[in-house]
Amino acid sequence: QVQLVESGGGLVQAGGSLRLSCAASGRTFSTYAMGWFRRAPGKERDFVAAINWNSSTYYADSVKGRFTISRDNAKNTGYLQMNSLKPEDTAIYYCAADRTYTSRRYVPTTLAEFGSWGLGTQVTVSS
């Protein structure tokens, strides 16, 4: 598995934007699916977005149209561009990765499908 380090979190006003980055170790990042999850205060860790090795993507309904997941395999880095942020987006955001899934179309979206996790980065959206 890979080691993952998130960055880019911070404090932003409602309506603002942030871009999270997820730096991965190792030489085979291009074969991994990558996902973003978040845990709001007092809640469970929930799925946000994911991208497979073939760059197929999937989003939670709550962020569709506002967040964009992408990857740069040359830099071993994944990204989550977050626009039109809302106070309810406040959470710790975690990057996850796994290389189990080889289908061109399948995008893993559950916690159990990802074997590598970062430590998280805090995103706070003020109203």
Side-chain angles (χ1 to χ4, degrees):
Q1 299 291 0
V2 293
Q3 303 295 318
L4 303 172
V5 179
E6 304 96 335
S7 61
L11 174 64
V12 64
Q13 289 187 333
S17 298
L18 282 174
R19 188 177 80 157
L20 305 183
S21 298
C22 175
S25 65
R27 301 179 181 179
T28 59
F29 178 70
S30 62
T31 66
Y32 281 73
M34 191 194 71
W36 288 93
F37 292 76
R38 66 186 181 186
R39 186 177 68 203
K43 296 187 177 181
E44 299 294 319
R45 193 176 300 193
D46 291 329
F47 170 76
V48 176
I51 184 168
N52 74 359
W53 68 271
N54 195 43
S55 293
S56 295
T57 58
Y58 194 84
Y59 296 91
D61 288 343
S62 59
V63 306
K64 201 172 295 183
R66 299 188 298 123
F67 291 11
T68 303
I69 190 170
S70 62
R71 64 191 301 156
D72 185 338
N73 292 332
K75 296 182 178 179
N76 276 13
T77 301
Y79 303 97
L80 185 69
Q81 177 66 45
M82 306 186 295
N83 298 329
S84 302
L85 282 161
K86 305 175 181 180
E88 51 263 43
D89 294 318
T90 295
I92 301 173
Y93 283 71
Y94 299 90
C95 174
D98 203 281
R99 63 183 301 181
T100 303
Y101 311 98
T102 58
S103 165
R104 288 180 178 271
R105 293 185 178 183
Y106 183 74
V107 181
T109 61
T110 66
L111 292 168
E113 291 179 300
F114 289 92
S116 297
W117 291 85
L119 297 179
T121 185
Q122 176 71 47
V123 171
T124 303
V125 185
S126 63
S127 57

